[in-house]
Amino acid sequence: MTSPVNVTVTGAAGQIGYALLFRIASGQMLGPETPVRLRLLEIPQGVKAAEGTAMELDDCAFPLVAGIDIVDDPTVGFDGANVALLVGARPRGPGMERGDLLEANGGIFKPQGQAINAGAADDVRVLVVGNPANTNALIAASNAPDVPTDRFTAMTRLDHNRALTQVAKKAGVPVSEVRRLTIWGNHSATQYPDLFHAEVGGRPGTELTDDRAWLEQDFIPTVAKRGAAIIDARGASSAASAANAAIDHVHDWVLGTPEGDWTSAGVVSDGSYGVPEGLISSFPVVSQNGAWEIVQGLEISDFSRGRIDASVGELDDERAAVRQLGLV
Ligand code: NAX
């Protein structure tokens, strides 16, 4: 057996943390041969609940778990981390403006970036789940100058998975027959789920995009507003599906994406597709040899261009706001 991989999960006592840790521990994220040492990072008020989660992890007697630590200091939490899942974040409170939200999250992701820079393992891979995920990832990356920026990613895999199922239902095919779909831009209501390059049941996705009424009034808003629909139905935000997406993202990052398909992830832009360099934006990506690569050469229709630009514009505004706050 290989030596254990150090996995740090922030917000470990929260609802996504609770859905996530057991799946990591069971081997679903890094594979059935890879032992994990779990580090649960919480704020002091969350430590007791995290201890309860750790007790339950103990009670599962997972053979792959090499140890569990519970900490409230990011410097300790990220020391030696190979995989860091940044789930804990500050939610938007009543009357909070976007600037206040970005500032509050800067207070979390700036010190976490610094702690990753100071002590994480050389091969650290970071996935930011906590919202606003793209800009939180940008803040963390900007405060970790010694870590390559391509190790910082933001989660749009939940949006990708949501889109897969909507398309499969519309076309009456299994989810496994929907390929090469893309989420572009920000993990927010401006995100753009793109079907123009998709293959659905062996047929081109444009057979679906030709139905503009469905595309614009049903598919795109259903995917983009799914989070709000879940809150409305469940009385709580997405948790198990968010944890599942985080597992998928890290699994594919480390172990590779399937041949002939791609997925979506928030990765640092190299200027591809006109997305300003340095923004952490969702793109079509493949993972090879443990690194994400943006899929190149896709033709972008006028319809897609407008939608991508709108979402990327929002990311640009967020970057300007956190620059002004001195966070990046
Ligand atoms: P919860 O409120 O259940 O849990 C958050 C946990 O984070 C709490 O236990 C809290 O004590 C902890 N925490 C807060 N600040 C921390 C810090 N500085 N260090 C360590 N821990 C800290 O939220 P949950 O439902 O688990 O959601 C977590 C985050 O995921 C939220 O920001 C949420 O908006 C975001 N989501 C992102 C999604 C995505 O697709 N990218 C989808 C699901 C979810 O909405």
Side-chain angles (χ1 to χ4, degrees):
M1 235 187 213
T2 50
S3 53
V5 172
N6 294 324
V7 180
T8 301
V9 178
T10 78
Q15 52 154 5
I16 295 175
Y18 191 75
L20 184 59
L21 284 159
F22 297 85
R23 296 192 56 190
I24 300 170
S26 70
Q28 291 177 66
M29 184 171 82
L30 297 171
E33 303 294 329
T34 307
V36 288
R37 194 173 293 116
L38 297 171
R39 205 162 291 151
L40 282 47
L41 177 61
E42 260 292 347
I43 49 176
Q45 305 90 292
V47 163
K48 186 158 184 254
E51 282 169 356
T53 303
M55 288 162 70
E56 284 202 71
L57 284 162
D58 279 344
D59 295 348
C60 293
F62 287 117
L64 291 173
V65 175
I68 307 172
D69 303 314
I70 299 150
V71 297
D72 62 7
D73 176 351
T75 308
V76 181
F78 294 114
D79 189 39
N82 305 107
V83 175
L85 297 161
L86 275 45
V87 179
R90 178 74 193 277
R92 190 188 287 255
M96 228 174 163
E97 298 296 333
R98 189 175 63 168
D100 303 330
L101 182 72
L102 292 169
E103 189 168 16
N105 278 291
I108 296 174
F109 289 87
K110 184 174 179 176
Q112 289 186 355
Q114 290 166 338
I116 289 167
N117 196 57
D122 286 346
D123 69 347
V124 67
R125 288 181 175 88
V126 182
L127 170 62
V128 176
V129 175
N131 282 320
N134 300 52
T135 297
N136 287 342
L138 180 70
I139 294 169
S142 303
N143 286 281
D146 303 330
V147 180
T149 39
D150 64 2
R151 305 292 186 72
F152 286 85
T153 62
M155 190 167 92
T156 55
R157 185 62 173 263
L158 177 55
D159 308 299
H160 183 94
N161 288 345
R162 285 167 171 166
L164 285 178
T165 299
Q166 294 305 317
V167 171
K169 282 188 173 171
K170 166 78 175 166
V173 300
V175 162
S176 58
E177 288 185 23
V178 184
R179 303 184 330 153
R180 300 203 285 268
L181 178 156
T182 305
I183 304 292
W184 297 92
N186 200 1
H187 169 69
S188 76
T190 67
Q191 66 176 263
Y192 170 52
D194 179 0
L195 293 183
F196 283 86
H197 307 283
E199 187 189 287
V200 182
R203 306 188 64 81
T206 45
E207 286 185 9
L208 292 176
T209 58
D210 285 346
D211 183 351
R212 284 300 158 99
W214 173 78
L215 182 69
E216 292 188 56
Q217 287 151 39
D218 191 344
F219 174 65
I220 294 174
T222 299
V223 174
K225 295 180 188 164
R226 186 72 166 178
I230 300 283
I231 293 173
D232 189 43
R234 217 173 78 84
S237 57
S238 316
S241 56
N244 177 70
I247 295 281
D248 284 350
H249 177 112
V250 176
H251 176 276
D252 288 359
W253 192 357
V254 174
L255 299 168
T257 38
E259 193 62 42
D261 200 1
W262 66 66
T263 187
S264 304
V267 297
V268 65
S269 176
D270 58 0
S272 294
Y273 299 104
V275 178
E277 215 176 316
L279 287 181
I280 296 196
S281 174
S282 190
F283 282 99
V285 288
V286 292
S287 171
Q288 272 158 7
N289 306 317
W292 291 118
E293 284 168 27
I294 297 171
V295 174
Q296 296 296 334
L298 301 179
E299 206 175 300
I300 305 298
S301 66
D302 289 346
F303 178 87
S304 295
R305 188 74 263 165
R307 300 266 174 169
I308 294 170
D309 288 351
S311 194
V312 167
E314 183 182 55
L315 284 173
D316 223 2
D317 290 349
E318 289 183 11
R319 177 166 67 177
V322 293
R323 259 194 193 138
Q324 216 163 27
L325 292 164
L327 295 168
V328 304

